[in-house]
Amino acid sequence: MKKEDIKLYHHIQRNTQLAMNALDAVTERVYDKDLSVEMSREFITFADIHNRALKELTKEREEGYRNSQVQEVLQRSGLQMSTLLDSSTSHVADILFQENSRGVTDIWKNMKAYENAGKECMELAEELAGFEEKNMERLKKYL
């Protein structure tokens, strides 16, 4: 496995982990059943992509990416504070929309940075970017 593959797989894992953490942090504040179902579906797909990246890494005896505990605590705290004052469906949807937007930007930047990564790795990164773009479209109706 090339160095570029490892780095891009790590970015895929980082991106999906941050997305799952964000969904988990705001789940308890969601009162709209349709949005809750949408979030559950997103979580499952992010977990699937995360695990597929990990599987490719472990096949080559490479370690998976781990987010720092500090980063996770800061992200969770910020999201929970934001929804403490406003837990409306539109506000939660806006938070998730912004998280997906950051994710798309991050994964495209890393695809460009590691453009020599292998086909399978690039395809998984493109799948992630496409999924996050579709999430943004689906979230628009809740804004």
Side-chain angles (χ1 to χ4, degrees), residues 96-107:
L96 296 176
F97 188 94
Q98 290 174 34
E99 291 290 325
N100 278 282
S101 178
R102 275 191 280 279
V104 168
T105 302
D106 179 67
I107 203 66

Side-chain angles (χ1 to χ4, degrees), residues 9-17 50 53-54 57 64-65:
Y9 278 130
H10 282 169
H11 281 285
I12 291 168
Q13 284 192 291
R14 178 183 180 273
N15 185 307
T16 54
Q17 188 63 55
H50 184 274
L54 180 60
L57 288 165
Y65 177 83

Side-chain angles (χ1 to χ4, degrees), residues 29-55:
R29 306 258 201 273
V30 176
Y31 302 103
D32 183 290
K33 187 175 181 177
D34 291 335
L35 180 57
S36 181
V37 169
E38 177 67 31
M39 290 170 58
S40 294
R41 187 192 59 72
E42 285 182 23
F43 190 94
I44 290 167
T45 303
F46 280 125
D48 176 60
I49 293 171
H50 184 274
N51 290 336
R52 286 166 42 205
L54 180 60
K55 181 179 177 184

Side-chain angles (χ1 to χ4, degrees), residues 1-14 53-54 56-58 60-65 110 114 116-118 121-122:
M1 180 176 283
K2 295 187 291 188
K3 185 177 178 179
E4 289 87 358
D5 289 352
I6 295 167
K7 289 184 182 241
L8 188 53
Y9 278 130
H10 282 169
H11 281 285
I12 291 168
Q13 284 192 291
R14 178 183 180 273
L54 180 60
E56 291 302 316
L57 288 165
T58 56
E60 300 294 324
R61 300 186 190 270
E62 295 292 337
E63 286 190 31
Y65 177 83
N110 285 291
Y114 304 111
N116 293 325
C121 187
M122 279 295 197

